[in-house]
Amino acid sequence: MVMSWLVPVWLVAVLVLCTAYVVWRQYQAQPSGDLQLVKKGAQFSGRWLLANGELGDERPVRCDYIGPWLLGLHLGPQRVWLWPDSLPAHSHRELRRLCHRAGR
């Protein structure tokens, strides 16, 4: 109640709208679709399968988190989190095996 006297209502409304806009933009920027990964030696590269059926640009892929139920990948500058239900069980196990490095 004290804050309502110190901070104008219009300022709070503007801050709420700005925050909602940023959250909405982040939500819209989330990747969706099929990610195709290729392993060349010790290096991964990946491409998104676009809506028109063509493959997108090839980008380097780096796995930096392997948890029991979650994989964290960097696809170029983009951060991608893979949950077990986001791909078939066989593909999930295969990807975990590819990303796992002994001694980690």
Side-chain angles (χ1 to χ4, degrees), residues 9-79:
V9 174
W10 65 268
L11 181 60
V12 172
V14 168
L15 290 175
V16 167
L17 288 174
C18 288
T19 302
Y21 176 74
V22 168
V23 169
W24 178 253
R25 293 283 296 186
Q26 288 296 319
Y27 176 75
Q28 292 293 327
Q30 288 181 354
S32 64
D34 292 335
L35 175 62
Q36 296 185 356
L37 297 176
V38 177
K39 185 173 183 180
K40 299 174 185 172
Q43 188 73 322
F44 283 106
S45 63
R47 291 178 165 191
W48 286 105
L49 183 61
L50 304 175
N52 60 6
E54 295 180 12
L55 289 174
D57 297 332
E58 188 171 325
R59 299 206 168 123
V61 175
R62 183 174 50 91
C63 179
D64 68 342
Y65 179 79
I66 301 176
W69 300 107
L70 183 65
L71 289 171
L73 302 175
H74 285 280
L75 180 65
Q78 189 175 36
R79 179 72 163 159

